[in-house]
Amino acid sequence: WLTWIVQPIECSSSIGYVQATVKDGIVDLAWLIGVDWQGQGHATEALRSLVDWLHENHLDTFTAHIHPDHEVSQQVARSVGLHRTAFMHDGEEIWST
């Protein structure tokens, strides 16, 4: 389980995190950015950095659980190559590479 804290260069505080839970070669991704910092590309940039690092470490199968109404998170997922699947878990759609 890997957690990276998101802290923009122009800010002395953390504004959120990205996470990767690795099990049997499959990585489940998660992210959270504080409300005041949303809509500025921080989640996309941080998640891309995490996915790039995971690729460098020979991990390339990713999933994420996203609420069907959360369009912004869906856009972030698409930015790293995830696609909506037909599967649901606890009211959230499973996205996968």
Coordinates of all heavy atoms in Angstrom, one line a residue:
W1 N 0.9 -1.2 0.0 CA 0.0 0.0 0.0 C 0.9 1.2 0.0 O 1.7 1.4 0.9 CB -0.9 0.0 1.2 CG -1.9 1.1 1.3 CD1 -2.5 1.7 0.3 CD2 -2.3 1.7 2.5 NE1 -3.4 2.6 0.8 CE2 -3.3 2.6 2.2 CE3 -2.0 1.5 3.9 CZ2 -3.9 3.4 3.1 CZ3 -2.7 2.2 4.8 CH2 -3.6 3.2 4.4
L2 N 0.8 2.0 -1.0 CA 1.6 3.2 -1.2 C 0.8 4.4 -1.2 O -0.3 4.5 -1.8 CB 2.3 3.1 -2.6 CG 3.1 1.8 -2.9 CD1 3.4 1.8 -4.3 CD2 4.3 1.8 -2.0
T3 N 1.2 5.4 -0.4 CA 0.5 6.7 -0.3 C 1.5 7.8 -0.6 O 2.5 7.9 0.1 CB -0.2 6.9 1.1 OG1 -1.1 5.8 1.3 CG2 -0.9 8.2 1.1
W4 N 1.2 8.6 -1.5 CA 2.0 9.8 -1.8 C 1.2 11.0 -1.5 O 0.0 11.2 -1.9 CB 2.3 9.9 -3.3 CG 3.3 8.8 -3.8 CD1 3.8 7.8 -3.1 CD2 4.0 8.8 -5.0 NE1 4.7 7.0 -3.8 CE2 4.8 7.6 -5.0 CE3 3.9 9.6 -6.2 CZ2 5.6 7.3 -6.1 CZ3 4.7 9.2 -7.2 CH2 5.5 8.1 -7.2
I5 N 1.8 11.9 -0.7 CA 1.2 13.2 -0.4 C 1.3 14.2 -1.5 O 2.4 14.3 -2.1 CB 1.8 13.8 0.9 CG1 1.6 12.7 2.1 CG2 1.2 15.1 1.3 CD1 0.2 12.4 2.4
V6 N 0.3 14.9 -1.8 CA 0.3 15.9 -2.9 C 0.6 17.3 -2.3 O -0.2 17.7 -1.4 CB -1.0 15.9 -3.7 CG1 -0.9 17.0 -4.8 CG2 -1.2 14.6 -4.3
Q7 N 1.7 17.9 -2.7 CA 2.0 19.2 -2.2 C 2.6 20.0 -3.4 O 3.7 19.8 -3.9 CB 3.1 19.1 -1.1 CG 3.5 20.5 -0.6 CD 4.5 20.4 0.5 OE1 4.8 19.3 1.0 NE2 5.0 21.5 1.0
P8 N 1.8 21.0 -3.9 CA 2.3 21.8 -5.0 C 3.5 22.6 -4.6 O 3.7 22.9 -3.5 CB 1.1 22.8 -5.3 CG -0.1 22.2 -4.6 CD 0.5 21.4 -3.5
I9 N 4.3 22.9 -5.6 CA 5.6 23.7 -5.4 C 5.2 25.0 -4.7 O 6.0 25.5 -3.8 CB 6.3 23.9 -6.7 CG1 6.8 22.5 -7.2 CG2 7.4 24.9 -6.5 CD1 7.4 22.6 -8.6
E10 N 4.1 25.7 -5.1 CA 3.8 27.0 -4.7 C 3.1 27.0 -3.3 O 2.7 28.0 -2.8 CB 2.9 27.7 -5.7 CG 1.5 27.2 -5.8 CD 1.3 26.0 -6.7 OE1 2.3 25.5 -7.3 OE2 0.2 25.5 -6.9
C11 N 3.0 25.8 -2.7 CA 2.3 25.7 -1.4 C 3.1 25.0 -0.4 O 3.8 24.0 -0.7 CB 1.0 25.0 -1.7 SG -0.1 24.8 -0.2
S12 N 3.1 25.5 0.9 CA 3.8 24.8 1.9 C 3.0 23.7 2.6 O 3.5 23.1 3.5 CB 4.3 25.8 2.9 OG 3.2 26.5 3.5
S13 N 1.8 23.5 2.2 CA 0.9 22.5 2.9 C 0.6 21.4 1.9 O 0.6 21.6 0.7 CB -0.4 23.2 3.3 OG -0.2 24.2 4.2
S14 N 0.2 20.3 2.4 CA -0.3 19.2 1.6 C -1.7 19.5 1.2 O -2.4 20.1 2.0 CB -0.1 17.8 2.3 OG -0.9 17.8 3.5
I15 N -2.1 19.1 0.0 CA -3.5 19.4 -0.4 C -4.3 18.1 -0.7 O -5.4 18.2 -1.1 CB -3.4 20.3 -1.7 CG1 -2.7 19.5 -2.9 CG2 -2.7 21.6 -1.4 CD1 -3.0 20.2 -4.2
G16 N -3.6 17.0 -0.6 CA -4.3 15.7 -0.8 C -3.3 14.6 -0.9 O -2.2 14.7 -0.4
Y17 N -3.8 13.5 -1.5 CA -2.9 12.3 -1.7 C -3.4 11.5 -2.9 O -4.5 11.6 -3.4 CB -3.0 11.4 -0.4 CG -4.3 10.9 -0.1 CD1 -4.8 9.7 -0.7 CD2 -5.1 11.5 0.9 CE1 -6.1 9.2 -0.3 CE2 -6.4 11.0 1.2 CZ -6.9 9.9 0.6 OH -8.1 9.4 0.9
V18 N -2.5 10.6 -3.3 CA -2.8 9.5 -4.3 C -2.3 8.3 -3.6 O -1.3 8.3 -2.9 CB -2.1 9.8 -5.7 CG1 -2.7 10.9 -6.4 CG2 -0.6 9.9 -5.6
Q19 N -3.0 7.2 -3.9 CA -2.7 5.9 -3.3 C -2.7 4.8 -4.3 O -3.4 4.8 -5.3 CB -3.7 5.5 -2.2 CG -3.7 6.4 -1.0 CD -4.7 5.9 0.0 OE1 -5.8 5.5 -0.3 NE2 -4.3 6.0 1.3
A20 N -1.8 3.8 -4.0 CA -1.8 2.6 -4.8 C -1.8 1.4 -3.9 O -0.9 1.3 -3.1 CB -0.6 2.5 -5.7
T21 N -2.8 0.5 -4.0 CA -2.8 -0.7 -3.2 C -2.5 -1.8 -4.2 O -3.2 -2.1 -5.2 CB -4.2 -0.9 -2.6 OG1 -4.6 0.2 -1.8 CG2 -4.2 -2.2 -1.8
V22 N -1.4 -2.5 -3.9 CA -0.9 -3.5 -4.8 C -1.1 -4.9 -4.3 O -0.7 -5.2 -3.1 CB 0.7 -3.3 -5.1 CG1 1.2 -4.3 -6.1 CG2 1.0 -1.9 -5.6
K23 N -1.8 -5.7 -5.0 CA -2.0 -7.1 -4.6 C -2.0 -8.0 -5.8 O -2.8 -7.8 -6.8 CB -3.4 -7.2 -3.9 CG -3.6 -8.6 -3.3 CD -4.9 -8.6 -2.6 CE -5.1 -10.1 -2.0 NZ -6.4 -10.2 -1.3
D24 N -1.2 -9.0 -5.8 CA -1.1 -10.0 -6.9 C -0.8 -9.3 -8.3 O -1.4 -9.7 -9.3 CB -2.3 -10.9 -7.0 CG -2.5 -11.7 -5.7 OD1 -1.5 -12.1 -5.1 OD2 -3.7 -11.9 -5.3
G25 N 0.0 -8.2 -8.3 CA 0.3 -7.6 -9.5 C -0.7 -6.6 -10.0 O -0.6 -6.0 -11.1
I26 N -1.8 -6.5 -9.3 CA -2.9 -5.5 -9.7 C -2.9 -4.3 -8.8 O -2.8 -4.5 -7.5 CB -4.3 -6.2 -9.7 CG1 -4.3 -7.3 -10.7 CG2 -5.4 -5.2 -10.0 CD1 -5.6 -8.2 -10.7
V27 N -2.9 -3.1 -9.3 CA -2.9 -1.9 -8.5 C -4.2 -1.2 -8.5 O -4.8 -0.9 -9.6 CB -1.8 -1.0 -9.1 CG1 -1.7 0.3 -8.3 CG2 -0.5 -1.6 -9.3
D28 N -4.8 -1.0 -7.3 CA -6.0 -0.3 -7.2 C -5.6 1.1 -6.8 O -4.9 1.4 -5.8 CB -6.9 -0.9 -6.1 CG -8.3 -0.3 -6.1 OD1 -8.9 -0.2 -7.2 OD2 -8.8 0.0 -5.0
L29 N -6.0 2.1 -7.6 CA -5.6 3.5 -7.4 C -6.7 4.3 -6.7 O -7.9 4.0 -6.9 CB -5.4 4.1 -8.8 CG -4.3 3.5 -9.7 CD1 -4.4 4.1 -11.1 CD2 -2.9 3.8 -9.0
A30 N -6.3 5.2 -5.9 CA -7.3 6.2 -5.3 C -6.6 7.5 -5.2 O -5.4 7.6 -5.2 CB -7.6 5.6 -3.9
W31 N -7.5 8.6 -5.1 CA -6.9 9.9 -5.0 C -7.9 10.8 -4.3 O -9.1 10.6 -4.3 CB -6.5 10.5 -6.3 CG -7.6 10.5 -7.4 CD1 -8.5 11.5 -7.6 CD2 -8.0 9.4 -8.2 NE1 -9.4 11.1 -8.6 CE2 -9.1 9.8 -9.0 CE3 -7.5 8.1 -8.4 CZ2 -9.7 9.0 -10.0 CZ3 -8.1 7.3 -9.4 CH2 -9.2 7.7 -10.1
L32 N -7.4 11.8 -3.6 CA -8.3 12.8 -3.0 C -7.5 14.1 -3.0 O -6.3 14.2 -2.6 CB -8.5 12.4 -1.5 CG -9.3 13.4 -0.7 CD1 -10.8 13.3 -1.1 CD2 -9.2 13.1 0.8
I33 N -8.2 15.2 -3.4 CA -7.6 16.5 -3.4 C -8.6 17.4 -2.6 O -9.8 17.4 -2.9 CB -7.4 17.1 -4.8 CG1 -6.4 16.2 -5.6 CG2 -6.9 18.5 -4.8 CD1 -5.0 16.2 -5.1
G34 N -8.1 18.3 -1.8 CA -8.9 19.2 -1.0 C -9.8 20.1 -1.9 O -9.3 20.5 -3.0
V35 N -10.9 20.4 -1.4 CA -11.9 21.2 -2.2 C -11.3 22.5 -2.8 O -11.5 22.8 -3.9 CB -13.2 21.5 -1.3 CG1 -14.1 22.4 -2.1 CG2 -13.9 20.2 -1.0
D36 N -10.5 23.2 -1.9 CA -10.0 24.5 -2.4 C -9.0 24.3 -3.6 O -8.7 25.3 -4.2 CB -9.3 25.2 -1.3 CG -10.3 25.7 -0.2 OD1 -11.5 25.8 -0.5 OD2 -9.8 26.1 0.9
W37 N -8.5 23.1 -3.8 CA -7.5 22.8 -4.8 C -8.0 22.0 -6.0 O -7.2 21.8 -6.9 CB -6.3 22.1 -4.1 CG -5.6 23.0 -3.1 CD1 -5.9 23.0 -1.7 CD2 -4.6 23.9 -3.3 NE1 -5.1 23.9 -1.1 CE2 -4.3 24.5 -2.1 CE3 -3.9 24.3 -4.4 CZ2 -3.3 25.5 -1.9 CZ3 -3.0 25.3 -4.3 CH2 -2.7 25.9 -3.1
Q38 N -9.3 21.7 -5.9 CA -9.8 20.9 -7.0 C -10.0 21.7 -8.3 O -10.1 23.0 -8.2 CB -11.2 20.3 -6.6 CG -11.0 19.3 -5.5 CD -12.3 18.7 -5.0 OE1 -13.4 19.1 -5.5 NE2 -12.3 17.9 -4.0
G39 N -10.0 21.1 -9.4 CA -10.2 21.7 -10.7 C -8.9 22.4 -11.2 O -9.0 23.2 -12.2
Q40 N -7.8 22.2 -10.6 CA -6.5 22.8 -11.1 C -5.5 21.8 -11.7 O -4.4 22.2 -11.9 CB -5.9 23.6 -9.9 CG -6.9 24.7 -9.3 CD -6.3 25.3 -8.1 OE1 -5.1 25.5 -8.0 NE2 -7.2 25.6 -7.1
G41 N -6.0 20.6 -11.8 CA -5.1 19.6 -12.4 C -4.2 18.8 -11.5 O -3.4 18.0 -11.9
H42 N -4.3 19.1 -10.2 CA -3.4 18.4 -9.2 C -3.6 16.9 -9.2 O -2.6 16.2 -9.1 CB -3.6 19.1 -7.8 CG -3.2 20.5 -7.8 ND1 -2.0 21.0 -7.9 CD2 -4.0 21.6 -7.5 CE1 -1.9 22.3 -7.8 NE2 -3.2 22.7 -7.6
A43 N -4.9 16.5 -9.2 CA -5.1 15.0 -9.1 C -4.6 14.3 -10.3 O -3.9 13.3 -10.3 CB -6.6 14.7 -9.0
T44 N -4.8 14.9 -11.5 CA -4.3 14.3 -12.8 C -2.8 14.3 -12.7 O -2.2 13.2 -13.1 CB -4.8 15.1 -14.0 OG1 -6.2 15.1 -14.0 CG2 -4.3 14.6 -15.3
E45 N -2.1 15.3 -12.4 CA -0.7 15.3 -12.4 C -0.1 14.4 -11.4 O 0.8 13.6 -11.7 CB -0.1 16.8 -12.1 CG 1.4 16.8 -12.1 CD 1.9 18.2 -11.8 OE1 1.1 19.2 -11.7 OE2 3.1 18.4 -11.7
A46 N -0.7 14.3 -10.2 CA -0.2 13.4 -9.2 C -0.4 12.0 -9.5 O 0.5 11.1 -9.4 CB -0.8 13.8 -7.8
L47 N -1.6 11.7 -10.1 CA -1.9 10.3 -10.4 C -1.0 9.8 -11.6 O -0.5 8.7 -11.6 CB -3.4 10.1 -10.7 CG -3.9 8.7 -10.8 CD1 -3.7 8.0 -9.4 CD2 -5.3 8.6 -11.2
R48 N -0.8 10.7 -12.6 CA 0.1 10.4 -13.7 C 1.5 10.1 -13.2 O 2.2 9.1 -13.6 CB 0.2 11.5 -14.7 CG -1.0 11.5 -15.6 CD -0.8 12.6 -16.7 NE -2.0 12.7 -17.5 CZ -2.4 13.8 -18.2 NH1 -1.6 14.8 -18.1 NH2 -3.5 13.8 -18.9
S49 N 2.0 10.9 -12.2 CA 3.3 10.6 -11.7 C 3.4 9.3 -11.0 O 4.4 8.5 -11.1 CB 3.7 11.7 -10.7 OG 3.8 13.0 -11.4
L50 N 2.4 9.0 -10.2 CA 2.3 7.7 -9.5 C 2.3 6.5 -10.5 O 3.0 5.6 -10.4 CB 1.1 7.6 -8.6 CG 0.9 6.3 -7.8 CD1 2.1 5.9 -7.0 CD2 -0.4 6.4 -7.0
V51 N 1.4 6.6 -11.5 CA 1.3 5.6 -12.5 C 2.6 5.4 -13.3 O 3.1 4.3 -13.5 CB 0.1 5.8 -13.4 CG1 0.1 4.9 -14.7 CG2 -1.2 5.6 -12.7
D52 N 3.3 6.5 -13.6 CA 4.6 6.4 -14.3 C 5.6 5.7 -13.4 O 6.3 4.8 -13.9 CB 5.1 7.8 -14.6 CG 4.4 8.5 -15.8 OD1 3.6 7.8 -16.5 OD2 4.6 9.7 -15.9
W53 N 5.6 6.0 -12.1 CA 6.5 5.3 -11.2 C 6.2 3.8 -11.1 O 7.1 3.0 -11.1 CB 6.4 6.0 -9.8 CG 7.4 5.4 -8.8 CD1 8.7 5.8 -8.6 CD2 7.1 4.4 -7.9 NE1 9.3 5.1 -7.7 CE2 8.3 4.2 -7.2 CE3 6.0 3.6 -7.6 CZ2 8.4 3.2 -6.2 CZ3 6.1 2.7 -6.6 CH2 7.3 2.5 -5.9
L54 N 4.9 3.5 -11.1 CA 4.5 2.1 -11.0 C 4.9 1.3 -12.3 O 5.4 0.2 -12.2 CB 3.0 2.0 -10.7 CG 2.5 2.5 -9.4 CD1 1.0 2.7 -9.4 CD2 2.9 1.5 -8.3
H55 N 4.7 2.0 -13.4 CA 5.2 1.4 -14.7 C 6.7 1.1 -14.6 O 7.2 0.0 -15.0 CB 4.9 2.3 -15.9 CG 3.5 2.2 -16.4 ND1 2.9 1.1 -16.8 CD2 2.6 3.2 -16.5 CE1 1.7 1.4 -17.2 NE2 1.5 2.6 -17.0
E56 N 7.5 2.0 -14.1 CA 8.9 1.9 -14.0 C 9.3 0.7 -13.1 O 10.3 0.1 -13.2 CB 9.6 3.1 -13.5 CG 9.6 4.3 -14.4 CD 10.0 5.6 -13.8 OE1 10.5 5.6 -12.7 OE2 9.9 6.6 -14.5
N57 N 8.3 0.3 -12.2 CA 8.5 -0.8 -11.3 C 7.7 -2.0 -11.7 O 7.4 -2.8 -10.9 CB 8.2 -0.3 -9.8 CG 9.2 0.6 -9.3 OD1 10.3 0.1 -8.8 ND2 9.1 1.9 -9.4
H58 N 7.5 -2.1 -13.0 CA 6.9 -3.2 -13.7 C 5.5 -3.6 -13.3 O 5.1 -4.7 -13.3 CB 7.8 -4.4 -13.5 CG 9.3 -4.1 -13.8 ND1 9.7 -3.8 -15.1 CD2 10.3 -3.9 -13.0 CE1 11.0 -3.6 -15.0 NE2 11.4 -3.6 -13.8
L59 N 4.7 -2.6 -12.9 CA 3.3 -2.8 -12.6 C 2.5 -2.0 -13.7 O 2.7 -0.8 -13.9 CB 3.0 -2.2 -11.2 CG 3.6 -3.0 -10.1 CD1 3.6 -2.2 -8.8 CD2 2.9 -4.4 -9.9
D60 N 1.6 -2.7 -14.3 CA 0.8 -2.1 -15.4 C -0.7 -2.4 -15.5 O -1.3 -2.1 -16.5 CB 1.5 -2.3 -16.8 CG 1.6 -3.8 -17.1 OD1 1.0 -4.6 -16.4 OD2 2.3 -4.1 -18.1
T61 N -1.2 -3.1 -14.5 CA -2.6 -3.4 -14.5 C -3.2 -2.6 -13.3 O -2.9 -2.8 -12.2 CB -2.8 -4.9 -14.2 OG1 -2.2 -5.7 -15.3 CG2 -4.3 -5.2 -14.3
F62 N -4.1 -1.7 -13.7 CA -4.7 -0.7 -12.7 C -6.2 -0.8 -12.7 O -6.8 -1.1 -13.7 CB -4.3 0.7 -13.1 CG -2.8 0.9 -13.2 CD1 -2.1 0.9 -14.4 CD2 -2.0 1.0 -12.0 CE1 -0.8 1.0 -14.5 CE2 -0.6 1.2 -12.1 CZ 0.0 1.2 -13.3
T63 N -6.7 -0.5 -11.5 CA -8.2 -0.4 -11.3 C -8.4 0.8 -10.4 O -7.5 1.3 -9.8 CB -8.8 -1.6 -10.6 OG1 -8.3 -1.8 -9.3 CG2 -8.6 -2.9 -11.4
A64 N -9.7 1.3 -10.4 CA -10.1 2.3 -9.5 C -11.6 2.2 -9.3 O -12.3 1.7 -10.2 CB -9.8 3.7 -10.1
H65 N -12.1 2.6 -8.2 CA -13.5 2.5 -7.8 C -14.0 4.0 -7.9 O -13.5 4.8 -7.1 CB -13.7 1.9 -6.5 CG -13.3 0.5 -6.3 ND1 -12.0 0.1 -6.3 CD2 -14.0 -0.6 -6.3 CE1 -11.9 -1.2 -6.2 NE2 -13.1 -1.7 -6.2
I66 N -15.0 4.3 -8.8 CA -15.4 5.7 -8.9 C -16.9 5.7 -8.9 O -17.6 4.9 -9.6 CB -14.9 6.2 -10.3 CG1 -13.4 6.2 -10.3 CG2 -15.4 7.7 -10.5 CD1 -12.7 6.5 -11.6
H67 N -17.5 6.7 -8.2 CA -18.9 6.8 -8.1 C -19.4 7.2 -9.5 O -18.8 8.0 -10.2 CB -19.3 7.9 -7.1 CG -20.8 8.0 -6.8 ND1 -21.7 8.6 -7.7 CD2 -21.5 7.4 -5.8 CE1 -22.9 8.5 -7.2 NE2 -22.8 7.7 -6.1
P68 N -20.6 6.6 -9.9 CA -21.0 6.9 -11.3 C -21.4 8.4 -11.6 O -21.4 8.8 -12.8 CB -22.3 6.0 -11.4 CG -22.5 5.3 -10.2 CD -21.4 5.7 -9.2
D69 N -21.6 9.2 -10.6 CA -21.9 10.6 -10.8 C -20.7 11.5 -10.7 O -20.8 12.7 -10.8 CB -23.0 11.0 -9.8 CG -24.3 10.3 -10.0 OD1 -24.6 9.9 -11.1 OD2 -25.0 10.2 -9.0
H70 N -19.5 11.0 -10.4 CA -18.4 11.8 -10.1 C -17.6 11.9 -11.4 O -16.5 11.3 -11.7 CB -17.5 11.2 -9.0 CG -16.7 12.3 -8.4 ND1 -15.6 12.9 -9.0 CD2 -16.8 12.9 -7.2 CE1 -15.1 13.8 -8.1 NE2 -15.8 13.8 -7.0
E71 N -18.0 12.9 -12.3 CA -17.4 13.1 -13.6 C -16.0 13.5 -13.6 O -15.2 13.1 -14.4 CB -18.3 14.1 -14.4 CG -19.7 13.5 -14.7 CD -20.5 14.5 -15.5 OE1 -20.0 15.5 -16.0 OE2 -21.7 14.3 -15.5
V72 N -15.6 14.3 -12.6 CA -14.2 14.8 -12.5 C -13.3 13.6 -12.2 O -12.2 13.5 -12.9 CB -14.1 15.9 -11.4 CG1 -12.6 16.3 -11.3 CG2 -14.9 17.1 -11.8
S73 N -13.6 12.8 -11.3 CA -12.8 11.6 -11.1 C -12.7 10.7 -12.3 O -11.7 10.1 -12.6 CB -13.3 10.8 -9.9 OG -13.0 11.5 -8.7
Q74 N -13.8 10.6 -13.0 CA -13.8 9.8 -14.3 C -12.8 10.4 -15.3 O -12.1 9.7 -15.9 CB -15.2 9.8 -14.9 CG -16.2 9.0 -14.0 CD -17.6 9.2 -14.5 OE1 -17.9 9.7 -15.5 NE2 -18.6 8.7 -13.6
Q75 N -12.7 11.7 -15.4 CA -11.8 12.4 -16.2 C -10.3 12.1 -15.8 O -9.5 11.9 -16.6 CB -12.0 13.9 -16.3 CG -13.3 14.3 -17.0 CD -13.6 15.8 -16.8 OE1 -12.9 16.5 -16.2 NE2 -14.7 16.2 -17.4
V76 N -10.1 12.1 -14.5 CA -8.8 11.8 -13.9 C -8.4 10.4 -14.3 O -7.3 10.1 -14.7 CB -8.7 12.1 -12.4 CG1 -7.4 11.6 -11.8 CG2 -8.9 13.5 -12.1
A77 N -9.4 9.5 -14.1 CA -9.1 8.1 -14.4 C -8.7 7.9 -15.9 O -7.8 7.2 -16.3 CB -10.3 7.2 -14.1
R78 N -9.5 8.6 -16.8 CA -9.2 8.5 -18.2 C -7.8 9.0 -18.5 O -7.1 8.5 -19.5 CB -10.2 9.3 -19.0 CG -11.6 8.6 -19.2 CD -12.5 9.4 -20.2 NE -13.8 8.9 -20.0 CZ -14.8 9.5 -19.2 NH1 -14.5 10.7 -18.6 NH2 -16.0 9.0 -19.1
S79 N -7.4 10.0 -17.8 CA -6.1 10.6 -18.1 C -4.9 9.6 -17.9 O -3.8 9.9 -18.4 CB -5.9 11.9 -17.2 OG -5.5 11.5 -15.9
V80 N -5.1 8.6 -17.1 CA -4.1 7.6 -16.9 C -4.4 6.2 -17.6 O -3.8 5.2 -17.3 CB -3.8 7.3 -15.4 CG1 -3.2 8.6 -14.8 CG2 -5.0 6.8 -14.7
G81 N -5.4 6.3 -18.5 CA -5.7 5.1 -19.3 C -6.7 4.1 -18.8 O -6.8 3.0 -19.3
L82 N -7.4 4.5 -17.8 CA -8.5 3.7 -17.2 C -9.8 3.9 -18.0 O -10.0 4.9 -18.6 CB -8.8 4.0 -15.8 CG -7.6 3.8 -14.8 CD1 -8.0 4.2 -13.4 CD2 -7.2 2.3 -14.8
H83 N -10.6 2.8 -18.1 CA -11.8 2.8 -18.8 C -12.9 2.2 -17.9 O -12.6 1.2 -17.1 CB -11.7 2.0 -20.1 CG -10.6 2.4 -21.0 ND1 -10.8 3.5 -21.8 CD2 -9.4 2.0 -21.1 CE1 -9.6 3.7 -22.5 NE2 -8.8 2.8 -22.1
R84 N -14.1 2.7 -18.0 CA -15.2 2.1 -17.2 C -15.5 0.7 -17.7 O -15.4 0.3 -18.8 CB -16.5 3.0 -17.5 CG -17.7 2.5 -16.8 CD -19.0 3.3 -17.2 NE -18.9 4.6 -16.5 CZ -19.0 5.8 -17.2 NH1 -19.1 5.8 -18.5 NH2 -19.0 6.9 -16.6
T85 N -15.7 -0.2 -16.7 CA -16.1 -1.6 -17.0 C -17.6 -1.7 -16.6 O -18.2 -0.8 -16.2 CB -15.3 -2.6 -16.1 OG1 -15.7 -2.5 -14.7 CG2 -13.8 -2.3 -16.2
A86 N -18.1 -2.9 -16.8 CA -19.5 -3.2 -16.5 C -19.7 -3.6 -15.0 O -20.8 -3.9 -14.6 CB -20.0 -4.3 -17.4
F87 N -18.6 -3.6 -14.3 CA -18.7 -4.1 -12.9 C -18.9 -3.0 -11.9 O -18.4 -1.8 -12.1 CB -17.4 -4.9 -12.5 CG -17.2 -6.0 -13.4 CD1 -16.2 -6.0 -14.5 CD2 -17.9 -7.2 -13.3 CE1 -16.0 -7.0 -15.3 CE2 -17.7 -8.3 -14.1 CZ -16.8 -8.2 -15.1
M88 N -19.6 -3.3 -10.8 CA -19.9 -2.3 -9.7 C -19.4 -3.0 -8.4 O -19.4 -4.2 -8.3 CB -21.4 -2.0 -9.6 CG -22.0 -1.3 -10.8 SD -21.6 0.4 -10.9 CE -22.6 1.1 -9.6
H89 N -19.0 -2.1 -7.5 CA -18.7 -2.6 -6.1 C -19.1 -1.5 -5.1 O -18.6 -0.4 -5.2 CB -17.2 -2.9 -6.0 CG -16.8 -3.5 -4.7 ND1 -16.3 -2.7 -3.7 CD2 -16.9 -4.7 -4.2 CE1 -16.0 -3.4 -2.6 NE2 -16.4 -4.7 -2.9
D90 N -20.0 -1.9 -4.2 CA -20.5 -0.9 -3.2 C -20.9 0.4 -3.8 O -20.6 1.5 -3.3 CB -19.4 -0.7 -2.1 CG -19.1 -1.9 -1.2 OD1 -20.1 -2.7 -1.1 OD2 -18.1 -1.9 -0.6
G91 N -21.7 0.3 -4.9 CA -22.2 1.5 -5.5 C -21.3 2.3 -6.4 O -21.6 3.4 -6.8
E92 N -20.0 1.8 -6.5 CA -19.1 2.5 -7.4 C -18.7 1.6 -8.6 O -18.7 0.4 -8.5 CB -17.8 2.8 -6.6 CG -18.0 3.8 -5.5 CD -16.7 4.1 -4.7 OE1 -15.9 3.2 -4.5 OE2 -16.6 5.3 -4.4
E93 N -18.5 2.3 -9.7 CA -18.1 1.6 -10.9 C -16.6 1.2 -10.8 O -15.8 2.0 -10.3 CB -18.3 2.5 -12.2 CG -19.7 2.9 -12.4 CD -19.9 4.0 -13.5 OE1 -18.9 4.8 -13.7 OE2 -20.9 4.0 -14.1
I94 N -16.3 0.1 -11.4 CA -14.9 -0.4 -11.5 C -14.3 0.1 -12.8 O -14.9 -0.2 -13.8 CB -14.8 -1.9 -11.3 CG1 -15.5 -2.4 -10.1 CG2 -13.3 -2.3 -11.4 CD1 -14.9 -1.8 -8.8
W95 N -13.3 0.8 -12.7 CA -12.5 1.3 -13.9 C -11.3 0.5 -14.0 O -10.7 0.1 -12.9 CB -12.3 2.8 -13.8 CG -13.5 3.6 -14.0 CD1 -14.6 3.6 -13.3 CD2 -13.6 4.6 -15.0 NE1 -15.5 4.5 -13.8 CE2 -14.9 5.2 -14.9 CE3 -12.8 5.1 -16.1 CZ2 -15.4 6.1 -15.7 CZ3 -13.3 6.1 -16.9 CH2 -14.6 6.6 -16.7
S96 N -10.8 0.2 -15.2 CA -9.6 -0.7 -15.3 C -8.8 -0.3 -16.6 O -9.4 0.3 -17.5 CB -10.1 -2.1 -15.4 OG -9.0 -3.0 -15.4
T97 N -7.6 -0.8 -16.6 CA -6.8 -0.6 -17.8 C -7.1 -1.8 -18.8 O -7.6 -2.8 -18.4 CB -5.3 -0.6 -17.5 OG1 -5.0 -1.7 -16.7 CG2 -4.8 0.6 -16.9

